């Protein structure tokens, strides 16, 4: 039994690792829990041995390796391969893997659980050749595997261009980029990139490369339908404003996603205050720059506090580490202010750019309207096979909030626990009842935060070992 | 909101609480031709009636309630005939198991008590139990076998009710948290956030776990015990069982729904309080419940738990329902707070509607007067 740490950091992405290392440097006992085999999170995920042989050692790989090395030498206790399935105030964390469970307790908890991909359905999206944008990126970067020979890249936000670039790097073909944002919307925000020269340079290089390769970029457009052909997909593309299809293309894989949204399991479970970011179109926990939420001892850092990208996540992680040191009495206010000043200055600059990008990731309610009009039989909840039309019918029958909607359709009751369908359900409900997304609510967060194997929970036991409460009266 | 609100029309009946008891009463009252308002602080069927384990069992029902549970079970299975739509009720056999000698004795005792009240339960040996339910742990010693059992996916039932109530002309008022009732002239005024939201000649209090607080509005004290039941559901599985399975001590209720998910219940407690509505899982109780379940049906050890949730189950002091007129108040009625209330709910709700219609129904055993304590009390919760 190791001693109770001062801090548990949940999540081994860049924010979590930096928060853990920084807090440790201030002398705090820190345990970091991460459900992946090795730390790094999504952006800096450790490539497989195969991927290391077939993909170039890019910035993310070098940074990831450096991050892992820093963590190894930091004195932070790392629990890799453990998922958190329960959290209770105080804090008690219940962890599980495929075979066992364990309990971890700490006075402070840092939720560094990052972001998850946001997706909205189109006809044919459940075909095995359709994957998320971030998923495609992981497949290539960490797995060294292309999504397909000819990939259609679709959705919203800067990840579109990053993924297209990665496909080309890996020797694949990009048949087109389908973007819900228009060229005008991009232009309006491109100016902010001047504040972030590194990102500007990358962006310009990507765009030049796409132009050289003659890859069509369709703005203000969405995938209306992907039909499975004999050995490829026949994809119809429409305008976000409706009307006749604008184009059809053939490909053998689709990478589609609408940006990222914060992962809210821990903060929702602990009833932290959440706010709805209208521009980004998602809920995030309310937190100060150090990541302090309104719940004592609970911090949120990195993209979990609002999606801003890896560079901001690093800075936020360091700030949270300093904040923890101050809150645990390891440094005084003056030291904290001194340490925080340059970080806050850098963050202010990046914030403008990041905010511009989050709004480009938000396709707004039009996207569900498009799907409902053109393909009402499309599934909105894949786990429970609930179609958009079935969702609409439940609303007409009287389901007026997210949880009644869930109960009457089973949308969100499956193994993904609503991660995939919550945004679709919210948009559908908001549009049908002519209310703001904030008014229709959110799925109630339930345990386990991720499915737990019965075998891991029950362990080895004999019937006589089962502790039984008092029996019911006859 | 406009500054001048028109006074709501006087309805015949205002039913407070849109769970199974209140909604069924409202439905049958409306079908008698009355103008009914059905009011709930949240949405219809979102508390105990929508989050319970959906059992139609007799093995787990208190012996005294068996005759009523039998009638409730029949109504659920024939929902099409009175609700106008199927609610997914499935009839299966039921087994209550004994794995130890002590449990064998308990099994005999509990089966005899229920048999006496009309449940067709017989105690059978391991071979017969395994014939009924091949998925069982083969170390089972004996089982109380009841051919009449079954289940309903409770979470979807509110939808059927919502449609039926609308067809019957009931005015459903959701998200209307009532905080008091006043007598004005010949009718009652229902007050929410300082506004009169409904007026009615008769009222029916059907607030389940909140009934103690509702009775206090009328200056009456009725103790309501509140359990915080913890329920567990697996991901979809291939068929692992085909009956409703419990164990002799009553601490397990297992069933596999049509969609393949298995619900594990049995009254294992979580934390919660009705005043705040907040609930939380007690992990140790989860482990006990899951162990019992996977011991009983060994293939469950291959499953993953998808979700755990909690709900308030309310009971009167004697676990029998309060159904009937409220002493001292004209045209005021109460219904609810019975053990396994979801099973017998439709029957009991209809019973009250019949009584209010002047039909000759026997409510003596449910008389609310027996439960009233002499002094009105301040609001106090019994869940902790």
């Amino acid at each position: 039994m190791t001693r109770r740490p001062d801090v548990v950091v949940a999540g081994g992405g860049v924010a979590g690792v930096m928060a853990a290392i920084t807090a440790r440097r201030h002398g705090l006992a820190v345990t970091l829990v991460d459900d992946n085999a090795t730390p790094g999170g999504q952006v800096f995920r450790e490539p497989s041995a195969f991927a290391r042989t077939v993909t170039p050692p890019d910035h993310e790989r070098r940074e990831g390796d450096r991050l892992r090395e820093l963590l190894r030498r930091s004195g932070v206790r790392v629990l890799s391969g453990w998922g958190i399935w329960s959290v209770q105030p105080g804090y008690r964390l219940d962890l599980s893997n495929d075979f066992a469970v364990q309990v971890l307790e700490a006075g402070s908890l840092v939720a560094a659980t990052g972001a998850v991909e946001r997706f909205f359905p189109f006809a044919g999206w459940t075909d095995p050749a359709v994957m998320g944008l971030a998923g495609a990126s992981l497949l290539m970067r960490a797995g060294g595997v292309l999504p397909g020979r000819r990939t259609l890249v679709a959705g919203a936000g800067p990840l579109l261009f990053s993924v297209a670039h990665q496909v080309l790097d890996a020797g694949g073909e990009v048949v087109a980029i389908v973007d819900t944002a228009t060229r005008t919307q991009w232009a309006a925000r491109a100016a902010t990139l001047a504040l972030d020269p590194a990102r500007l340079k990358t962006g310009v290089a990507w765009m030049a490369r796409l132009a050289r390769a003659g890859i069509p970029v369709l703005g203000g457009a969405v995938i209306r339908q992907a039909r499975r052909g004999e050995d490829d997909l026949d994809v119809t593309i429409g305008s976000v404003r409706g009307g006749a299809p604008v184009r059809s293309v053939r490909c053998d894989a689709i990478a589609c996603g609408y940006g990222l949204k914060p992962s809210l399991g821990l903060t929702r479970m602990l009833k932290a205050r959440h706010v709805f970011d209208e521009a980004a179109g998602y809920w995030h926990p309310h937190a100060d720059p150090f990541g302090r939420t309104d719940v004592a001892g609970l911090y949120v850092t990195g993209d979990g506090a609002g999606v801003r990208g890896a560079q901001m996540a690093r800075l936020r992680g360091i700030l949270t580490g300093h904040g923890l040191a101050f809150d645990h009495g390891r440094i005084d206010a003056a030291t904290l202010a001194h340490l925080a000043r340059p970080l806050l200055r850098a963050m202010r600059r990046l914030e403008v750019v990041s905010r511009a990008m989050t709004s480009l990731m938000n396709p707004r309610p039009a996207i569900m309207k498009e799907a409902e009009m053109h393909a009402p039989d499309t599934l909105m909840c894949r786990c429970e096979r609930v179609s958009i039309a079935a969702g609409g019918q439940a609303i007409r029958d009287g389901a007026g909030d997210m949880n009644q909607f869930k109960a009457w359709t089973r949308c969100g009751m499956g193994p993904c626990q609503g991660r995939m369908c919550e945004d679709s359900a919210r948009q559908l409900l908001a549009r049908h009842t002519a209310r703001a997304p904030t008014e229709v609510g959110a799925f109630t967060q339930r345990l386990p935060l991720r499915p737990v194997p019965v075998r891991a929970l029950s362990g080895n036991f004999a019937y006589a070992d089962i502790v039984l409460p008092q029996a019911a009266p006859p | 909101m406009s500054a001048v609100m028109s006074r709501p029309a006087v309805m015949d009946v205002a039913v407070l609480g849109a769970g199974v008891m209140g909604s069924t009463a409202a439905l049958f009252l409306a079908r008698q031709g009355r103008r009914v308002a059905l009011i709930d602080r949240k949405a219809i069927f979102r508390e105990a009636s929508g989050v319970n384990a959906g059992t139609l069992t007799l093995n787990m029902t208190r012996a005294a309630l068996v005759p009523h549970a039998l009638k409730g079970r029949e109504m659920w299975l024939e929902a099409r005939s009175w609700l106008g739509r199927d609610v997914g009720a499935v009839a299966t056999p039921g087994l209550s198991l004994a794995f130890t000698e002590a449990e064998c004795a308990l099994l005999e005792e509990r089966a005899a008590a229920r048999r006496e009240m009309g449940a067709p339960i017989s105690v059978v040996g391991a071979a017969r139990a395994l014939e009924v339910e091949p998925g069982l742990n083969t170390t089972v010693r004996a089982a109380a076998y009841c051919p009449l059992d079954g289940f309903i996916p409770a979470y979807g039932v509110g939808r059927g009710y919502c449609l039926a109530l609308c067809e019957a002309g009931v005015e459903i008022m959701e998200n209307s948290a009532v905080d008091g009732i006043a007598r004005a002239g010949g009718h009652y005024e229902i007050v929410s956030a300082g506004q009169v939201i409904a007026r009615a000649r008769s009222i029916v209090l059907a607030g389940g776990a909140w009934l103690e607080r509702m009775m206090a509005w009328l200056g009456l004290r009725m103790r309501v015990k509140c359990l915080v039941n913890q329920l567990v559901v697996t991901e979809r599985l291939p068929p692992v069982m085909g009956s409703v399975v419990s164990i002799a001590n009553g601490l397990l209720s297992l069933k596999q729904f049509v969609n393949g998910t298995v619900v594990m219940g049995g009254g294992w407690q979580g934390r919660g309080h009705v005043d705040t509505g907040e609930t939380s899982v007690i992990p140790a109780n989860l482990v006990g419940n899951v162990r019992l379940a996977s011991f009983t049906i060994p293939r469950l050890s291959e499953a993953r738990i998808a979700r755990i949730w909690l709900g308030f189950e309310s009971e009167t002091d004697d676990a029998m329902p309060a159904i009937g007129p409220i002493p001292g108040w004209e045209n005021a009625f109460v219904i609810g707070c019975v053990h396994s209330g979801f099973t017998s709910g439709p029957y009991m709700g209809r019973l009250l509607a019949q009584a209010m219609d002047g039909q000759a129904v026997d409510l003596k055993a449910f008389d609310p007067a027996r439960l009233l304590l002499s002094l009105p009390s301040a609001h106090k919760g019994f869940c902790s």
Side-chain angles (χ1 to χ4, degrees):
Chain A
M1 188 77 195
T2 46
R3 80 181 173 93
R4 188 181 197 260
D6 300 310
V7 182
V8 168
V9 177
V14 62
V17 170
M18 294 316 293
I21 292 174
T22 308
R24 179 71 204 118
R25 281 183 186 157
H26 288 296
L28 297 174
V30 183
T31 299
L32 183 142
V33 188
D34 187 41
D35 56 359
N36 289 301
T38 53
Q42 304 303 341
V43 176
F44 302 108
R45 181 182 288 261
E46 172 135 46
S48 70
F50 173 71
R52 283 188 189 271
T53 67
V54 295
T55 58
D58 59 5
H59 166 75
E60 279 79 11
R61 184 194 295 183
R62 284 191 301 272
E63 274 301 292
D65 288 344
R66 204 173 71 84
L67 201 66
R68 279 180 285 275
E69 185 54 29
L70 275 177
L71 183 62
R72 236 186 321 271
R73 287 191 266 152
S74 65
V76 170
R77 179 175 174 237
V78 180
L79 294 173
S80 283
W82 288 89
I84 298 169
W85 64 266
S86 165
V87 63
Q88 299 198 344
Y91 290 92
R92 173 195 156 118
L93 296 161
D94 286 271
L95 317 182
S96 71
N97 60 21
D98 281 350
F99 312 103
V101 293
Q102 65 169 308
V103 177
L104 205 55
E105 290 187 340
S108 298
L109 172 65
V110 180
T113 44
V116 287
E117 186 146 42
R118 180 163 53 185
F119 187 81
F120 293 99
F122 56 82
W125 73 276
T126 51
D127 188 282
V130 179
M131 68 191 76
L133 263 186
S137 174
L138 277 183
L139 188 66
M140 292 185 278
R141 216 179 250 151
V145 175
L146 273 166
R149 285 182 303 275
R150 292 167 301 143
T151 303
L152 177 68
V153 177
L159 201 52
L160 285 171
F161 302 95
S162 167
V163 166
H165 170 73
Q166 289 171 51
V167 169
L168 296 177
D169 259 356
E173 183 191 333
V174 176
V175 296
I177 295 175
V178 179
D179 186 354
T180 53
T182 60
R183 220 165 271 233
T184 323
Q185 285 167 321
W186 274 99
R189 287 159 182 89
T192 64
L193 276 169
L195 293 165
D196 184 352
R199 191 140 37 168
L200 178 62
K201 196 174 146 209
T202 313
V204 168
W206 287 348
M207 298 312 284
R209 184 176 189 188
L210 295 175
R212 273 200 309 279
I215 295 165
V217 179
L218 310 173
V222 286
I223 296 179
R224 196 165 280 173
Q225 173 182 274
R227 205 199 307 259
R228 163 87 10 217
E230 237 169 69
D231 51 12
D232 64 356
L233 294 167
D234 184 0
V235 185
T236 311
I237 295 158
S239 161
V240 287
R241 286 180 299 277
V246 290
R247 185 186 294 225
S248 78
V249 295
R250 301 193 82 92
C251 62
D252 53 22
I254 297 175
C256 180
Y258 296 90
L260 306 170
K261 57 176 176 174
S263 202
L264 303 176
L266 291 172
T267 50
R268 273 185 177 173
M269 224 37 238
L270 292 167
K271 307 264 192 304
R273 186 158 83 85
H274 290 72
V275 289
F276 193 79
D277 183 330
E278 289 287 346
Y282 55 59
W283 292 92
H284 65 85
H286 178 76
D288 75 5
F290 296 98
R292 297 181 186 109
T293 66
D294 65 329
V295 178
L298 176 65
Y299 301 73
V300 58
T301 195
D303 277 355
V307 178
R308 300 289 186 275
Q311 227 182 322
M312 278 277 276
R314 171 187 297 277
L315 300 174
R316 280 170 158 179
I318 299 170
L319 267 178
T320 300
H322 292 322
L324 281 161
F326 173 77
D327 294 345
H328 282 258
R330 299 294 168 134
I331 55 174
D332 59 20
T335 311
L336 179 67
H338 172 74
L339 290 169
R341 203 172 299 122
L343 296 163
L344 290 169
R345 195 181 313 123
M347 275 172 57
R348 267 195 296 277
R349 194 163 43 80
L350 292 174
E351 172 72 5
V352 183
V353 189
S354 301
R355 291 291 299 154
M357 295 302 135
T358 51
S359 74
L360 285 169
M361 294 178 194
N362 180 7
R364 299 169 203 281
I367 192 101
M368 283 299 286
K369 188 177 175 186
E370 173 76 4
E372 192 177 16
M373 263 180 57
H374 296 284
D377 293 334
T378 302
L379 299 185
M380 58 185 289
C381 170
R382 177 181 215 165
C383 302
E384 296 294 330
R385 302 191 63 78
V386 180
S387 70
I388 298 174
Q393 187 59 49
I395 298 167
R396 283 190 293 279
D397 284 354
D401 65 69
M402 288 288 279
N403 290 302
Q404 192 71 294
F405 183 82
K406 177 177 167 182
W408 289 5
T409 61
R410 288 191 61 83
C411 180
M413 284 197 193
C416 96
Q417 298 168 315
R419 284 177 184 84
M420 284 290 276
C421 57
E422 181 164 355
D423 297 290
S424 303
R426 180 179 298 116
Q427 289 211 356
L428 193 72
L429 202 49
R431 196 167 60 74
H432 274 251
T433 60
R435 284 178 298 170
T438 44
E439 288 175 58
V440 299
F443 289 153
T444 300
Q445 181 72 50
R446 299 285 188 200
L447 295 181
L449 293 168
R450 54 188 50 238
V452 185
V454 165
R455 204 189 297 276
L457 195 62
S458 62
N460 289 321
F461 66 95
Y463 190 64
D465 296 342
I466 306 173
V467 183
L468 299 176
Q470 203 194 338
Chain B
M1 192 177 283
S2 69
V4 184
M5 287 206 14
S6 58
R7 267 153 54 98
V10 178
M11 311 290 277
D12 294 319
V13 189
V15 179
L16 277 61
V20 64
M21 299 283 180
S23 298
T24 311
L27 180 65
F28 284 101
L29 286 166
R31 290 198 183 147
Q32 290 164 10
R34 303 192 191 210
R35 296 187 57 206
V36 182
L38 177 62
I39 305 168
D40 200 280
R41 62 184 198 121
K42 285 194 188 167
I44 185 169
F45 269 69
R46 286 302 303 146
E47 294 290 353
S49 297
V51 302
N52 69 85
T55 189
L56 297 180
T57 197
L58 301 177
N59 269 323
M60 300 270 285
T61 300
R62 301 270 166 96
L65 286 164
V66 163
H68 316 297
L70 272 166
K71 294 187 178 109
R73 179 180 176 276
E74 278 305 306
M75 281 183 75
W76 281 126
L77 289 167
E78 289 163 10
R80 207 180 285 279
S81 70
W82 58 272
L83 192 64
R85 62 248 326 139
D86 187 46
V87 291
V90 175
T92 71
L95 291 171
S96 179
L97 309 176
F99 289 105
T100 66
E101 220 160 286
E103 285 173 0
C104 285
L106 189 57
L107 199 69
E108 292 283 0
E109 181 195 338
R110 291 171 60 105
R114 283 164 182 71
R115 206 160 37 229
E116 206 169 294
M117 296 303 293
I121 297 175
S122 53
V123 176
V124 300
R128 175 74 181 120
L130 282 157
E131 209 175 272
V132 175
E133 182 52 83
L136 289 183
N137 186 323
T138 53
T139 64
V140 63
R141 289 182 172 214
Y145 166 70
C146 181
L148 307 182
D149 207 310
F151 49 78
I152 305 182
Y155 50 82
V157 172
R159 186 177 188 174
Y161 266 90
C162 194
L163 295 169
L165 289 162
C166 288
E167 285 161 10
V170 173
E171 188 183 334
I172 303 175
M173 301 168 69
E174 296 184 313
N175 303 309
S176 306
V178 174
D179 31 50
I181 301 171
R183 194 90 170 109
H187 59 264
Y188 290 94
E189 289 187 337
I190 316 298
V191 179
S192 171
Q195 300 273 8
V196 175
I197 58 160
R199 301 191 297 155
R201 279 179 272 279
S202 301
I203 50 166
V204 174
L205 304 185
W210 289 268
L211 213 44
E212 182 174 326
R213 286 137 187 87
M214 287 184 167
M215 293 296 274
W217 295 336
L218 303 179
L220 299 169
R221 185 165 177 221
M222 184 179 98
R223 194 155 52 207
V224 173
K225 188 171 80 173
C226 178
L227 302 167
V228 187
N229 291 333
Q230 193 165 287
L231 288 165
V232 183
V233 65
T234 68
E235 292 178 346
R236 294 172 188 241
L237 300 171
V240 296
M241 61 189 299
S243 58
V244 173
V245 173
S246 55
I247 60 171
N249 60 24
L251 286 165
L252 183 68
S253 150
L254 266 183
K255 57 188 84 78
Q256 183 166 28
F257 284 89
V258 176
N259 63 21
T261 61
V262 174
V263 167
M264 309 175 184
W268 292 75
Q269 294 296 289
R271 279 185 212 93
H273 198 290
V274 290
D275 282 339
T276 59
E278 299 280 312
T279 58
S280 65
V281 171
I282 299 179
N285 283 355
L286 176 68
V287 172
N289 193 356
V290 164
R291 281 184 165 184
L292 215 47
S294 61
F295 180 86
T296 304
I297 303 284
R299 281 195 65 195
L300 287 177
S301 63
E302 297 157 27
R304 293 199 307 172
I305 293 165
R307 194 164 49 258
I308 306 161
W309 74 99
L310 304 109
F312 297 115
E313 182 178 19
S314 59
E315 269 183 25
T316 59
D317 279 341
D318 60 8
M320 293 293 281
I323 308 177
I326 298 173
W329 292 84
E330 207 183 340
N331 299 328
F333 302 83
V334 61
I335 182 166
C337 295
V338 55
H339 178 80
S340 296
F342 184 74
T343 316
S344 40
Y347 168 69
M348 289 177 172
R350 190 176 61 184
L351 214 53
L352 178 66
Q354 289 166 339
M356 288 172 68
D357 194 35
Q359 298 176 36
V361 292
D362 182 11
L363 293 178
K364 272 197 294 293
F366 309 145
D367 187 358
R370 78 185 192 283
L371 300 164
L372 295 181
L373 307 174
S374 50
L375 289 171
S377 78
H379 293 198
K380 187 173 185 303
F382 285 84
C383 304
S384 54

